Amino acid sequence: MRDIRRLVPAHFPCREPIIAEFLAILDDARERTRVVLRDLPPAALHWQLRPELSSIGDLLYHIGLIEADWLYAEVLETEYPAPIRELLPEEVSDAQGRLTHVKEEPIDVHLRRLATIRTALIEVFLEMDLAEFRRLRSLPGYDVSPEWVLHHLAQHEAEHRYQMKMIRKQAEQRSQDPASTG
Ligand code: NI
């Protein structure tokens, strides 16, 4: 069967067709992340090259936290609702300014967290009109539109996806050859 590469905006019944296109792009980005995580050995989820470096689990948590943060702080200009706050107990970075090292959870918990945040995001964008999509929100350091936020979230996930791919490769090499230092 041929591999068909196209976006499916019809999956997102938005008021504005262009918003459905953006949601389809984000959906494709998530699918590509899932491919990188497919059949991930549980030990590789928590593996760190060095104690100060992130694990794949840390990065999955980070991707969800950043998505929720752009959604609530920037797009909606509000606080996290309680169910989202409960999903994200850890701050984005630790006292040293590094990405927080999160407690070890199974991959399903990570994927469910990401899916819950994504569902909340889609609900907001289904109803949005074009003026609101492009209306700049004024934050302390910058002005930002929801349109840019969706673009940015796809980029952000792609950057960390590559990082997760490299971590996985290193973790799997180590598990085959524990004496290796390379
Ligand atoms: Ni990041």
Side-chain angles (χ1 to χ4, degrees), residues 70-152:
W70 283 106
L71 175 62
Y72 293 104
E74 276 84 0
V75 173
L76 295 171
E77 304 170 280
T78 186
E79 302 289 323
Y80 292 7
I84 298 289
R85 170 50 64 201
E86 282 162 23
L87 277 180
L88 299 165
E90 308 287 349
E91 295 302 319
V92 68
S93 43
D94 64 16
Q96 287 75 44
R98 296 188 291 247
L99 288 195
T100 304
H101 188 50
V102 298
K103 70 176 182 341
E104 296 190 2
E105 295 173 313
I107 186 100
D108 289 357
V109 172
H110 283 285
L111 294 177
R112 270 204 304 277
R113 180 187 296 110
L114 287 170
T116 301
I117 294 164
R118 177 59 54 85
T119 299
L121 178 138
I122 290 169
E123 278 174 12
V124 166
F125 281 89
L126 286 179
E127 297 304 319
M128 195 176 282
D129 65 26
L130 209 52
E132 189 62 8
F133 191 51
R134 295 193 170 142
R135 180 175 70 79
L136 290 176
R137 277 73 166 143
S138 195
L139 279 290
Y142 50 87
D143 291 348
V144 62
S145 71
E147 182 175 37
W148 186 89
V149 166
L150 294 190
H151 152 74
H152 176 68

Side-chain angles (χ1 to χ4, degrees), residues 62 66 99 156 160:
H62 171 74
I66 294 299
L99 288 195
H156 182 252
H160 287 303

